[in-house]
Amino acid sequence: MKESFVHVYTGNGKGKSTAAFGLALRALFAGKKVYIAQFIKDMKYHETGIETVMDGIKIEQLGAGCFIDRKPDEHDREVAAAALQKCGKILESGEFDVVILDEITIALYFKLFSSEDVIKILQSRNPKVEVVLTGRYAPQELIDYADLVTEMREVKHYYTQGVLSRDGIDV
């Protein structure tokens, strides 16, 4: 029987990173060590403050920024490749019990690296490391590889009524 599993939280609905951070809290309160790599986000959102008040968690923002208003360039691909390599080493080391690769499927969607690259680091991980991958557009190869896949589906969102992200609720 496997000791650890690979989770994918994907879909166009809100809550993928929130669910991953919830799992991180659960793991921390169970005495586990948690590492979170954020591949696209480059701002310190409120959830990143958790590492200042709790031991056993490390959060790093490894991307070159969000692609809302621009296309990724060679620098983005280089930064993403280095981030993936770093995460591969962390996964192999077994230093952390839970590793969350936040927004990694967005990096895949923008072709910053390949699904094969991600699956390779997952296959090389320490067998005791639980892994959570988040983001929209999870490719079928990753869905097929994962042990647990949850799709967040937007049914209704106040954003369509002009409500922007709210402090402490959405960011």
Side-chain angles (χ1 to χ4, degrees):
M1 179 179 241
K2 288 175 84 171
E3 295 180 57
S4 66
F5 298 95
V6 174
H7 308 227
V8 172
Y9 303 157
T10 193
N12 69 342
K14 180 182 180 322
K16 297 170 290 291
S17 295
T18 303
F21 271 85
L23 187 144
L25 277 174
R26 183 180 295 129
L28 286 168
F29 282 114
K32 297 183 183 300
K33 289 184 69 181
V34 177
Y35 176 80
I36 300 174
Q38 294 188 308
F39 276 83
I40 304 300
K41 296 172 181 169
D42 63 346
M43 290 175 40
K44 288 287 187 184
Y45 294 90
H46 291 304
E47 67 261 21
T48 61
I50 190 174
E51 69 180 334
T52 65
V53 295
M54 295 196 70
D55 293 329
I57 185 167
K58 182 174 184 173
I59 302 171
E60 292 187 297
Q61 295 178 315
L62 302 176
C66 191
F67 307 123
I68 291 174
D69 57 355
R70 66 181 179 85
K71 286 186 172 185
D73 58 22
E74 188 57 34
H75 175 69
D76 293 303
R77 283 185 280 287
E78 290 169 1
V79 168
L84 189 64
Q85 183 177 24
K86 177 178 187 161
C87 291
K89 290 178 182 173
I90 288 168
L91 286 164
E92 283 181 19
S93 76
E95 177 185 352
F96 296 92
D97 303 295
V98 176
V99 172
I100 297 170
L101 305 178
D102 191 34
E103 304 288 0
I104 193 167
T105 63
I106 298 297
L108 284 167
Y109 178 77
F110 282 102
K111 299 181 180 5
L112 300 182
F113 40 72
S114 71
S115 296
E116 293 78 23
D117 294 333
V118 174
I119 290 170
K120 183 177 176 184
I121 69 163
L122 294 174
Q123 290 171 331
S124 298
R125 78 185 193 279
N126 183 302
K128 294 182 179 184
V129 177
E130 194 88 6
V131 185
V132 179
L133 303 106
T134 74
R136 295 171 186 248
Y137 318 120
Q140 191 62 49
E141 303 86 23
L142 206 53
I143 290 170
D144 292 343
Y145 183 81
D147 301 293
L148 181 153
V149 178
T150 299
E151 183 175 1
M152 310 292 192
R153 183 175 64 90
E154 182 178 313
V155 175
K156 188 176 184 180
H157 197 304
Y158 41 78
Y159 182 78
T160 61
Q161 299 169 13
V163 178
L164 300 178
S165 296
R166 297 171 301 141
D167 192 41
I169 304 298
D170 302 304
V171 293

